[in-house]
Amino acid sequence: MNPDFLRNVLLRYMLLLGAMLAIFPCSRVFSQAVEVAKSSVTYVADDEKSTLGIGFRLVDGRDVNGVEAQTVEGGESVPATWEGWTNENRVPCAWMVVVDISTPSRKTTISKCREAVKAFIGELSEKDSMAIYALARDLDERSDFRPAAEAEELQAAADSLQPAGDASLTTLIYRNLLEGVKKLEGQSEKRRALLVFSDGKDETTNEVEQVKDRDQLIAAARKAGVVIHTIGYAESSDDQKFFTGLIAMSEETEGLHAAAKVKGKDLPEGYLGLVHAVMGGAGKVHLDLSGLVAADAPGNVLLSL
């Protein structure tokens, strides 16, 4: 076996996966491709055993029951096994929850946000940590990062989320969330996420600066490997037009966006559980590439989940 050639085969495969992530469902019937979070992909190659392990998370949190692999050219079957990350194998995540409490009149909305945060705390994995911040004009720390075992302290911090501030003060969502990304960078967990509850109204007066701030936030989050999940809370149907920035933050960082109902402020059923699942779940594919280590071996492999 030529280790250098094996590395070349692995490298060609990894480049394809990183560029395309051509992963499609086979164990369950879906009409669209399973979406892999590209920033979460990791590789562990073993030259001696001619194996490659590819770890990743799925953006949509779907269950994976098995995996199939074949060469792109020729359709030759490649031995593959699936190792799911569930329960004790769940990947630790550092969560920073940010609740927009600006505008004192939004009492019902803030109350529903508070309920959602407390429910979210109840679903934390024992390996996770979480911090809670309020957002009015500036970020206001209600709890620094605490392990899930300190749920009681986190619940008390959530209870402190009350409508506050002066409606006339400017709320700079993007600039403040950029500070949140910087705080998450210092966390040791393998995965890091912002969970944002907001009406989406960034009040930077200059529209050009507003777009610049949003793009800077997204770029910083992508560089730091921070996923931004957002929940939009509108006081009227017309206010949902302000969710554009929230949606962009989530889509560009491989996060999820949801909109609470305008009437009642309830979240889509199962949303909080799904957010937990996409950050801690998925798993690793183990490929036996010994059959590809030959002079004419194709370097691209297609995975089907």
Side-chain angles (χ1 to χ4, degrees):
M1 180 184 301
N2 185 332
D4 289 333
F5 183 77
L6 171 60
R7 291 191 188 96
N8 289 336
V9 172
L10 299 183
L11 179 60
R12 290 203 304 274
Y13 170 66
M14 288 190 288
L15 288 176
L16 173 80
L17 187 63
M20 296 177 57
L21 283 166
I23 298 178
F24 300 92
C26 68
S27 60
R28 295 176 65 183
V29 178
F30 297 111
S31 60
Q32 71 272 17
V34 173
E35 187 176 358
V36 171
K38 298 179 180 64
S39 63
S40 73
V41 178
T42 59
Y43 307 95
V44 178
D46 188 323
D47 287 351
E48 293 184 0
K49 296 181 179 180
S50 302
T51 62
L52 176 65
I54 311 104
F56 54 85
R57 72 177 183 86
L58 301 179
V59 174
D60 57 10
R62 290 174 178 158
D63 294 331
V64 177
N65 300 319
V67 62
E68 295 177 0
Q70 63 182 41
T71 58
V72 172
E73 298 179 12
E76 179 184 352
S77 179
V78 178
T81 57
W82 171 253
E83 176 191 356
W85 289 330
T86 57
N87 299 325
E88 67 273 9
N89 294 325
R90 183 182 173 90
V91 181
C93 182
W95 297 93
M96 182 172 174
V97 173
V98 178
V99 179
D100 184 346
I101 62 170
S102 62
T103 311
S105 62
R106 298 171 65 235
K107 292 183 179 180
T108 299
T109 298
I110 306 306
S111 175
K112 297 297 286 189
C113 289
R114 187 167 59 247
E115 289 178 14
V117 172
K118 296 182 75 171
F120 190 79
I121 294 169
E123 297 187 21
L124 285 174
S125 163
E126 63 181 13
K127 296 182 179 181
D128 291 351
S129 67
M130 180 173 167
I132 300 175
Y133 281 76
L135 171 61
R137 176 168 181 162
D138 303 301
L139 279 181
D140 178 15
E141 180 185 303
R142 301 303 171 92
S143 173
D144 197 359
F145 288 95
R146 293 178 177 273
E150 297 182 13
E152 187 174 341
E153 290 82 357
L154 289 169
Q155 293 282 4
D159 282 331
S160 74
L161 297 168
Q162 304 289 340
D166 185 335
S168 65
L169 295 179
T170 301
T171 303
L172 306 178
I173 294 175
Y174 305 132
R175 294 183 190 180
N176 278 296
L177 291 183
L178 178 59
E179 294 304 310
V181 169
K182 294 176 181 177
K183 294 179 186 296
L184 277 165
E185 281 186 286
Q187 291 301 113
S188 61
E189 288 84 352
K190 291 184 178 180
R191 294 180 181 173
R192 291 164 284 186
L194 272 169
L195 177 58
V196 182
F197 298 74
S198 177
D199 60 8
K201 296 179 181 178
D202 183 279
E203 296 175 334
T204 303
T205 54
N206 186 308
E207 186 174 347
V208 174
E209 286 297 316
Q210 185 181 102
V211 173
K212 180 180 177 181
D213 289 346
R214 184 192 68 196
D215 290 347
Q216 184 178 3
L217 165 63
I218 291 171
R222 289 167 65 103
K223 182 178 180 180
V226 173
V227 179
I228 304 178
H229 302 287
T230 57
I231 305 174
Y233 284 83
E235 300 306 309
S236 68
S237 297
D238 186 60
D239 281 348
Q240 289 183 325
K241 64 187 178 185
F242 295 106
F243 292 172
T244 303
L246 299 178
I247 294 170
M249 284 189 283
S250 293
E251 288 185 347
E252 294 296 325
T253 63
E254 300 172 324
L256 298 174
H257 170 78
K261 293 181 180 179
V262 175
K263 185 177 181 180
K265 312 302 180 190
D266 293 323
L267 293 178
E269 184 176 356
Y271 174 79
L272 295 178
L274 180 59
V275 171
H276 273 294
V278 299
M279 293 308 299
K284 181 182 288 186
V285 174
H286 297 275
L287 293 175
D288 179 355
L289 301 179
S290 57
L292 300 183
V293 183
D296 58 350
N300 299 333
V301 175
L302 178 69
L303 299 183
S304 298
L305 302 178

